[in-house]
Amino acid sequence: MSALSAKVTFAPSTNVYRTAVKKMSDAVAHRGDVLINPINNEYGAYIGRHYSNGIFTTEVYDSDDFTVAFDGKTSNLDALLKAIPQTGSTSNPSLSAPEKTSEKLLALYLVHGCEAFNLLRGSFTVVIHEKKRSRIRVFRDLFSGRPAFVAFQNDTLWFSTEIKGVLADSAFNRQLNRKVLPEMLSFGITMGPETLMRDIYKLPPGYFFDCLPGKAPECKILYLPKKLKKQNLPASYFAEKIWDYIGEGINEFIDNEQKENLSTALFLSGGVDSSLVALKQKELGIKKKIALSCSYDDEGVGSLDESRIAKNTAETCSMDFQNVATSSDDDLLESMKNIIRTMEEPTRFIISIPVERALKQFRGQFSCLITGMYADVFFGSDENYDSPIHGFCRKLPESLKTIIRFFLPIADKLPKLKGYAAWFRRGDLPTVREYNIKMLKFNGELKGLLADEHFDYAPYLKQYYEKAPELAAEDEWAFLGLTMYIYCWDEMFERLAGYAGADVIHPFKTMPMYELSLAMPYKGKIAKQYTKPYVRKLAADKFSPDLAYAEKQIFASPGEIWLAKSSSIREFAFSLQHEKARIHEYLNSDAIKKIILQLKDRKDKPGRNIAHLVYILIGFELWLREFLPEETISEQNKTNKERQKERQNERQNEEQKEKQDVKKASTASSI
């Protein structure tokens, strides 16, 4: 784990920010036991921290012209520097032989500009302050697990790895950002760049912030997806490439020395993805390995007993197997409070609760968390998109497809043609795009909670569709799934693991894996019966066909069971109908009461839709209590009123002085 904290201005100032930045760094002290030497200059202050035995590090370089702050780890920086011609390679002679990572990054930036961070591999966030140009830029790589937040008020800029770092500075004025309420209510998260806290911005992966005086940070695209030629090669070729790249995804962050001493934990399910990562860890010689499995003990959550399969896999891979069970008898409300405090937004609880409980229980026993995520995105398929149908559709003449699209609304109304219309949509690229955009519009179930229901997240997708080269539908899903997963999953694992003192790596989430996905023919991503056929072939070769092709059982959401049986959650949910609950300040009271009344009426069977709405309300209420507590807002309003009164008195004094000056001038002229 690591963290960066900074508070800066665009012009030299007499303000001393070191005290404020020290408080910011203390607020994220769980991210590191080593403090790098603080950098203080006439523009502001920077402090980094990381764990002495961790994977990611922080660093700050400062000169008369630039300040560069780095958080993360790179794998090809030295190779990129060697490719730069030495004669006149940078405009800064002091960087002719850079030694520190931050100095090397600046040397690369001075040659390549923003493109330098597209060339760079690893997981990183980089802040570059160009002092003479009064410009601050913040970069985040496409695959980054390194979070980055920028706040901007009164020509002062804060940078922090977590929002709570910014909030630790009392000079920052806390206010709810009502604009993103529909987004938060629809998805349980905010996609960025805006967050629930006004004037605090989240940097999306593959983007950079361009910050100039007097303007809010401008979010610009850094990475655009590439269109690669499809390789019609045997399944065995892709299977072996996937196997090799899993190893590269681990080696990129864990060196040979760390493999002897680093303690790792892997979330191991009964599926093929995490099982392959477990086997690769054994092959690479990683000694200290824990396998974590999560299960649900409540009756009615009828899942396949994957913990038994996971245990067998753990034994095969020489791992210490640990299963963490969650049930409605546990204090789930306390877990939800911890998650809100950690994640800093009303997040999705169903998966985060068992993860939080497992990481909390084994805190201190590992320093690196590994997952098998992203295989579904890169080598599977969007459930609303059918690759074989797409293979047929793209053989049709474009003129015929245009005619079919025109008549689709009519076909939808005719029972005999409705099925054919749906069949065509699942394979037609433009209609798949329309579906993806539609899915990102305001959730209809939430109507009534907000007066303004016109939220539309579609521009987020449209900017890729407009600026990126046309990708095959299965490749669009790989790219969109990558960016969406980063918000939904990466932030959860990164934050929760951070409080357990651990870094996080995802071996499937690397540029080689992504480019292999783009080069893979559509038949490699979905077969007649199974998704991820090439990944399953690899698992069958490395383990057995039984594990590779095991049938997954669909199970009831534990969230519904918890809402029906957990006394702590139900009592808190019922309390939300009273208008003293904070959510009534921002959401429609009648709509809130109606949702809670439906929960009471349904008792043991709340239903998925009601459960979804109730968890959203609980999460928002917990967030308001944690990050906008009434006493803080009251004190802040008091301070703001005092400042307004001071400014008003200053204006009155100035006006009175001007009148006196005019009177004196008039008297002098008459004499």
Side-chain angles (χ1 to χ4, degrees), residues 171-316:
F172 180 81
N173 192 14
R174 302 188 191 195
Q175 294 182 56
L176 179 75
N177 186 3
R178 292 175 180 266
K179 284 199 303 184
V180 299
L181 275 181
E183 184 179 346
M184 183 276 294
L185 294 174
S186 288
F187 307 127
I189 53 174
T190 54
M191 302 291 185
E194 297 203 43
T195 68
L196 269 175
M197 196 69 71
R198 185 186 294 179
D199 297 329
I200 297 183
Y201 304 89
K202 176 195 298 184
L203 181 57
Y207 278 75
F208 71 95
F209 278 140
D210 209 352
C211 310
L212 297 169
K215 297 180 181 180
E218 185 178 356
C219 193
K220 298 181 179 180
I221 292 178
L222 180 64
Y223 175 85
L224 286 172
K226 303 173 184 176
K227 186 175 183 179
L228 299 183
K229 185 179 180 180
K230 296 294 181 182
Q231 298 179 4
N232 293 313
L233 296 169
S236 57
Y237 167 84
F238 288 101
E240 285 305 313
K241 280 290 184 183
I242 292 170
W243 181 242
D244 291 342
Y245 288 161
I246 293 173
E248 289 183 18
I250 296 174
N251 288 332
E252 186 173 9
F253 298 103
I254 303 177
D255 57 38
N256 290 330
E257 183 179 341
Q258 288 175 311
K259 287 171 187 173
E260 292 290 330
N261 304 311
L262 190 73
S263 298
T264 66
L266 169 70
F267 269 110
L268 186 62
S269 69
V272 297
D273 310 333
S274 57
S275 298
L276 287 170
V277 174
L279 190 61
K280 179 58 77 171
Q281 282 185 266
K282 180 181 180 181
E283 182 185 276
L284 293 176
I286 296 177
K287 304 297 183 184
K288 302 175 182 178
K289 308 184 293 292
I290 300 174
L292 297 177
S293 176
C294 298
S295 63
Y296 305 106
D297 277 359
D298 287 299
E299 185 179 349
V301 185
S303 66
L304 185 68
D305 186 9
E306 292 193 352
S307 62
R308 175 182 55 80
I309 302 173
K311 185 176 182 180
N312 291 337
T313 302
E315 291 174 355
T316 301

Side-chain angles (χ1 to χ4, degrees), residues 610-631:
I610 294 299
H612 172 67
L613 294 170
V614 172
Y615 279 119
I616 284 174
L617 296 180
I618 292 174
F620 189 31
E621 177 69 20
L622 291 174
W623 184 89
L624 288 169
R625 295 185 185 188
E626 178 67 29
F627 294 101
L628 283 177
E630 290 179 326
E631 57 271 20

Side-chain angles (χ1 to χ4, degrees), residues 216-474:
E218 185 178 356
C219 193
K220 298 181 179 180
I221 292 178
L222 180 64
Y223 175 85
L224 286 172
K226 303 173 184 176
K227 186 175 183 179
L228 299 183
K229 185 179 180 180
K230 296 294 181 182
Q231 298 179 4
N232 293 313
L233 296 169
S236 57
Y237 167 84
F238 288 101
E240 285 305 313
K241 280 290 184 183
I242 292 170
W243 181 242
D244 291 342
Y245 288 161
I246 293 173
E248 289 183 18
I250 296 174
N251 288 332
E252 186 173 9
F253 298 103
I254 303 177
D255 57 38
N256 290 330
E257 183 179 341
Q258 288 175 311
K259 287 171 187 173
E260 292 290 330
N261 304 311
L262 190 73
S263 298
T264 66
L266 169 70
F267 269 110
L268 186 62
S269 69
V272 297
D273 310 333
S274 57
S275 298
L276 287 170
V277 174
L279 190 61
K280 179 58 77 171
Q281 282 185 266
K282 180 181 180 181
E283 182 185 276
L284 293 176
I286 296 177
K287 304 297 183 184
K288 302 175 182 178
K289 308 184 293 292
I290 300 174
L292 297 177
S293 176
C294 298
S295 63
Y296 305 106
D297 277 359
D298 287 299
E299 185 179 349
V301 185
S303 66
L304 185 68
D305 186 9
E306 292 193 352
S307 62
R308 175 182 55 80
I309 302 173
K311 185 176 182 180
N312 291 337
T313 302
E315 291 174 355
T316 301
C317 299
S318 306
M319 304 180 80
D320 177 18
F321 180 77
Q322 300 290 341
N323 182 63
V324 179
T326 301
S327 78
S328 55
D329 294 331
D330 299 315
D331 191 349
L332 301 182
L333 183 63
E334 186 59 32
S335 288
M336 293 167 79
K337 291 178 180 178
N338 290 336
I339 291 165
I340 293 290
R341 194 176 300 119
T342 304
M343 294 288 296
E344 303 177 328
E345 61 185 7
T347 188
R348 300 179 177 186
F349 290 117
I350 308 308
I351 183 63
S352 55
I353 285 178
V355 170
E356 186 268 346
R357 286 172 48 77
L359 295 178
K360 186 178 179 180
Q361 182 171 331
F362 292 95
R363 176 184 172 87
Q365 297 187 36
F366 61 94
S367 54
C368 177
L369 177 66
I370 304 177
T371 80
M373 286 169 41
Y374 289 93
D376 282 322
V377 174
F378 290 165
F379 306 113
S381 174
D382 182 351
E383 61 183 6
N384 301 297
Y385 161 78
D386 192 303
S387 296
I389 296 175
H390 171 67
F392 172 79
C393 284
R394 64 184 177 184
K395 295 177 183 177
L396 297 176
E398 188 59 37
S399 57
L400 178 58
K401 288 190 282 188
T402 302
I403 295 171
I404 294 174
R405 290 177 199 131
F406 178 80
F407 285 104
L408 281 177
I410 299 173
D412 287 336
K413 298 177 182 179
L414 301 175
K416 290 185 178 181
L417 297 179
K418 188 175 181 180
Y420 291 103
W423 183 89
F424 177 82
R425 279 194 175 92
R426 293 187 65 202
D428 185 48
L429 181 57
T431 49
V432 170
R433 286 179 169 183
E434 286 178 12
Y435 180 84
N436 284 331
I437 289 173
K438 182 180 178 182
M439 288 298 291
L440 290 179
K441 290 187 176 180
F442 185 61
N443 190 333
E445 298 170 1
L446 302 168
K447 287 183 177 179
L449 282 173
L450 291 170
D452 182 8
E453 298 163 358
H454 302 295
F455 167 73
D456 184 1
Y457 200 57
Y460 180 79
L461 289 185
K462 286 181 179 177
Q463 63 182 324
Y464 290 119
Y465 292 153
E466 291 169 0
K467 296 182 180 181
E470 183 174 302
L471 300 175
E474 68 270 18

Side-chain angles (χ1 to χ4, degrees), residues 455-496:
F455 167 73
D456 184 1
Y457 200 57
Y460 180 79
L461 289 185
K462 286 181 179 177
Q463 63 182 324
Y464 290 119
Y465 292 153
E466 291 169 0
K467 296 182 180 181
E470 183 174 302
L471 300 175
E474 68 270 18
D475 297 335
E476 282 192 351
W477 167 242
F479 179 70
L480 296 175
L482 166 67
T483 54
M484 298 293 282
Y485 261 52
I486 282 178
Y487 295 115
C488 298
W489 297 97
D490 272 27
E491 290 187 0
M492 177 192 73
F493 281 113
E494 201 277 340
R495 296 297 189 84
L496 294 178

